[in-house]
Amino acid sequence: MHRYALYYVPPPGTALAAFGARWLGRDACAPPEGAGVSAEDWRRAVATPRRYGFHATLKAPFRLAEGKDERTLGEALERFCRARGPAPVGKLALRVLSDFLVLAPLDPRAGAALAADCVSAFDSFRAPSTAAEIARRRPDRLTASQKAKLERWGYPYVFEDYRFHLSLTGPLESGDRARFGAHIARMALAAIAEPVEIAEICLCGQTSPDADFVVLARFALGRPPQR
């Protein structure tokens, strides 16, 4: 496995999961019916989020440290989840984060405590970032605090900079954000009608640098894992 990540992935069978699968359309070549955008514009907009899947990051993608393996990572995640209860997030709404369209909770700190625990508890499994990995995060655009987090934790948006969100697009110009947003808001009505709770953490993996991330296992918070 090239990289691993700890994600919140909406449970199968929920309206939120159905919306994410429909919007990102990993197996589709054309936008979902009712999207109101051209196939070319849609493919360009969703290219990055569809690679990672419809998720909210709890611990960003990382390569395994020397001496670590998937089995021990899964066992550690199982123990971690059994010791914690579900984390409420609340209702989601369409938001602009930087220049991306996302679904995010009304409370900007929702899910932050659980994510912070994931970052610190599993850092021993993370191989140190390479110079190329740091450069891909565009450190010239980060604050001093975010640069320090990038070097220490391998990701700049952790702890006080963390925001729970499920990405819907890559970066868009303001006009495109308005155009896509109008259609997404209509399509997502059922998906965001009910509040979200993080009741499980997904161990996700990527087999190669060009591969999509997939769910390897779901670990229920406070209960045995579901595989």
Side-chain angles (χ1 to χ4, degrees):
M1 196 68 64
H2 176 60
R3 289 190 299 173
Y4 293 89
L6 305 184
Y7 288 158
Y8 163 79
V9 179
T14 63
L16 187 58
F19 164 75
R22 181 184 175 208
W23 174 250
L24 294 184
R26 278 188 165 183
D27 298 323
C29 298
E33 184 178 352
V37 294
S38 71
E40 181 180 355
D41 286 350
W42 172 77
R43 283 194 295 268
R44 184 174 64 251
V46 302
T48 297
R50 77 190 298 188
R51 167 73 57 82
Y52 292 90
F54 191 55
H55 77 281
T57 297
L58 298 173
K59 185 169 180 64
F62 58 93
R63 293 175 295 103
L64 279 181
E66 186 176 353
K68 302 294 186 179
D69 58 31
E70 183 177 317
R71 180 183 61 81
T72 55
L73 174 59
E75 290 172 349
L77 183 55
E78 179 181 353
R79 292 192 298 271
F80 176 91
C81 289
R82 282 184 172 177
R84 286 161 175 78
V89 170
K91 285 194 173 184
L92 304 179
L94 182 64
R95 293 282 187 266
V96 177
L97 186 63
S98 182
D99 48 3
F100 299 74
L101 289 176
V102 305
L103 294 181
L106 304 179
D107 177 1
R109 300 308 295 154
L114 179 61
D117 286 347
C118 287
V119 168
S120 56
F122 294 94
D123 200 58
S124 63
F125 286 90
R126 180 182 64 86
S129 299
T130 64
E133 287 170 340
I134 290 176
R136 280 199 294 272
R137 295 294 181 185
R138 306 296 294 272
D140 55 306
R141 298 187 176 187
L142 301 176
T143 66
S145 174
Q146 290 166 349
K147 288 179 185 177
K149 293 182 177 74
L150 174 59
E151 300 225 353
R152 170 62 184 85
W153 302 101
Y155 192 61
Y157 306 112
V158 295
F159 306 118
E160 65 269 20
D161 288 302
Y162 176 79
R163 296 294 181 270
F164 180 99
H165 66 278
L166 297 98
S167 294
L168 300 171
T169 72
L172 297 174
E173 299 292 335
S174 59
D176 286 334
R177 290 197 297 270
R179 183 163 58 96
F180 274 83
H183 296 290
I184 291 172
R186 184 180 66 252
M187 293 173 61
L189 282 176
I192 61 177
E194 298 297 326
V196 168
E197 178 184 71
I198 306 173
E200 57 187 14
I201 296 176
C202 290
L203 175 61
C204 297
Q206 180 190 38
T207 56
S208 70
D210 297 324
D212 291 343
F213 273 84
V214 297
V215 174
L216 303 175
R218 290 176 177 267
F219 294 88
L221 289 160
R223 298 189 299 277
Q226 299 177 10
R227 298 183 185 274

